[in-house]
Amino acid sequence: MSVSTHSVTLLTRNGCGLCTVALEQLRPICADFGVEIALVDVDEAAATDPGLRAEYGDRLPVVLLNGREHSYFDVDEPRLRADLAR
């Protein structure tokens, strides 16, 4: 398996049940492509990036692929797998 040039970030919040589910869905997908998942808590990040919480805070979890919004609330597994394969 080659090393992926993609990055996957999961925007979360402490105590977010949907965020926990999304992380569990992302783990096997990203493992298949050799991608590490970066976790960003939008509340903790607000001190240095208040725009992050302002933009995404009301629709977490959000999956970012290569820094761009890919999906929110639910992980779009077929689409994410197709995009990671590129």
Side-chain angles (χ1 to χ4, degrees):
M1 171 175 42
S2 63
V3 176
S4 177
T5 58
H6 295 291
S7 67
V8 173
T9 304
L10 179 62
L11 302 180
T12 69
R13 164 176 285 133
N14 190 31
C16 169
L18 287 175
C19 298
T20 302
V21 171
L23 179 59
E24 292 305 312
Q25 291 173 318
L26 283 175
R27 281 188 174 131
I29 299 166
C30 290
D32 287 348
F33 291 92
V35 176
E36 294 286 327
I37 304 166
L39 295 174
V40 176
D41 183 309
V42 296
D43 295 324
E44 291 176 10
T48 56
D49 189 354
L52 200 62
R53 182 170 60 187
E55 184 170 351
Y56 299 110
D58 63 343
R59 49 191 180 108
L60 295 173
V62 175
V63 177
L64 303 179
L65 178 62
N66 303 325
R68 300 185 68 186
E69 184 175 331
H70 190 270
S71 60
Y72 64 96
F73 294 141
D74 295 313
V75 175
D76 186 342
E77 181 173 351
R79 186 170 150 237
L80 183 57
R81 285 187 178 277
D83 292 342
L84 287 172
R86 292 183 191 165

